[in-house]
């Protein structure tokens, strides 16, 4: 007799090895395994991330995508302008020698089925924080003072200390 099966709406998670098991008069018979591999557009594992970097300092961005089918080729874009003329094979690390102003980075992953575009990653330039606002005296005594303030814009660099001058 012939036994068949089907996977409706196959997805990448259905990839793997399958066997057919039959129970004939209490005896289990197992077929040889078959490998199911769903091919399609590349799927991103890592995309360019948002970074805050020091002006004119080297930094790296990573883009990684998988098939099948392989190979997956990566093209990089800075402010929607293609960076590399020759493709990188995934995973790809883009070394940027430094920026003087913010930029948007993205990548495209290509395989024989087509291409997938990544989400963009904004790269900001760290700067000097803005002055605090809403400085108020909350309490004043002969030997002390309690004040409050709202920190200014951090210029993409975490504030780690604050000093008060009297």
């Amino acid at each position: 007799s012939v036994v068949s099966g089907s996977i409706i709406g196959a997805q990448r998670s259905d990839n793997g090895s399958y066997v057919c098991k039959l129970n004939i008069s209490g005896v289990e018979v197992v077929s040889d395994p078959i490998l199911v591999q769903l091919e399609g557009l590349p799927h991103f594992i890592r995309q360019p991330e948002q970074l805050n970097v020091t002006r004119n300092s080297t930094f790296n961005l990573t883009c990684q995508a998988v098939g099948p089918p392989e190979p997956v080729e990566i093209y990089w874009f800075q402010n929607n302008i293609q960076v590399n003329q020759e493709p990188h094979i995934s995973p790809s690390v883009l070394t940027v020698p430094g920026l003087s102003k913010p930029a948007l980075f993205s990548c495209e992953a290509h395989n024989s089925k087509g291409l997938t575009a990544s989400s963009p990653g904004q790269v900001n330039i760290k700067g000097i924080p803005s002055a605090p606002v809403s400085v108020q005296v909350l309490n004043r005594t002969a030997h002390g003072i309690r004040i409050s303030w709202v920190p200014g814009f951090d210029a993409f660099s975490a504030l780690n200390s604050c000093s008060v001058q009297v």
Side-chain angles (χ1 to χ4, degrees), residues 6-160:
S6 61
I7 300 172
I8 307 300
Q11 301 177 30
R12 279 183 201 274
S13 57
D14 295 316
N15 284 352
S17 181
Y18 290 81
V19 294
C20 179
K21 291 184 179 183
L22 296 175
N23 192 317
I24 302 171
S25 301
V27 177
E28 186 176 78
V29 179
V30 180
S31 73
D32 290 336
I34 61 162
L35 182 64
V36 172
Q37 222 175 11
L38 187 68
E39 293 192 342
L41 297 175
H43 170 72
F44 282 104
I45 295 173
R46 285 190 68 183
Q47 302 186 58
E49 58 190 326
Q50 177 175 318
L51 287 179
N52 301 324
V53 300
T54 302
R55 184 179 307 275
N56 298 323
S57 293
T58 301
F59 63 93
N60 292 331
L61 293 168
T62 302
C63 192
Q64 184 176 7
V66 295
E70 305 290 346
V72 174
E73 298 177 332
I74 303 294
Y75 289 92
W76 283 95
F77 294 83
Q78 179 177 343
N79 296 329
N80 296 317
I81 298 170
Q82 189 171 320
V83 173
N84 56 316
Q85 298 309 311
E86 293 297 319
H88 300 173
I89 299 300
S90 179
S92 172
V93 176
L94 179 70
T95 298
V96 181
L99 294 176
S100 59
K101 57 186 178 181
L104 202 61
F105 288 86
S106 62
C107 55
E108 283 182 357
H110 295 241
N111 67 9
S112 61
K113 297 294 181 182
L115 72 92
T116 305
S118 75
S119 298
Q122 175 76 34
V123 177
N124 299 307
I125 307 299
K126 293 180 184 180
I128 297 170
S130 301
V133 295
S134 302
V135 178
Q136 295 178 332
V137 175
L138 299 178
N139 188 20
R140 186 187 321 228
T141 67
H143 301 288
I145 188 169
R146 197 163 67 114
I147 60 173
S148 73
W149 64 89
V150 175
F153 174 56
D154 67 5
F156 305 109
S157 187
L159 299 171
N160 56 23

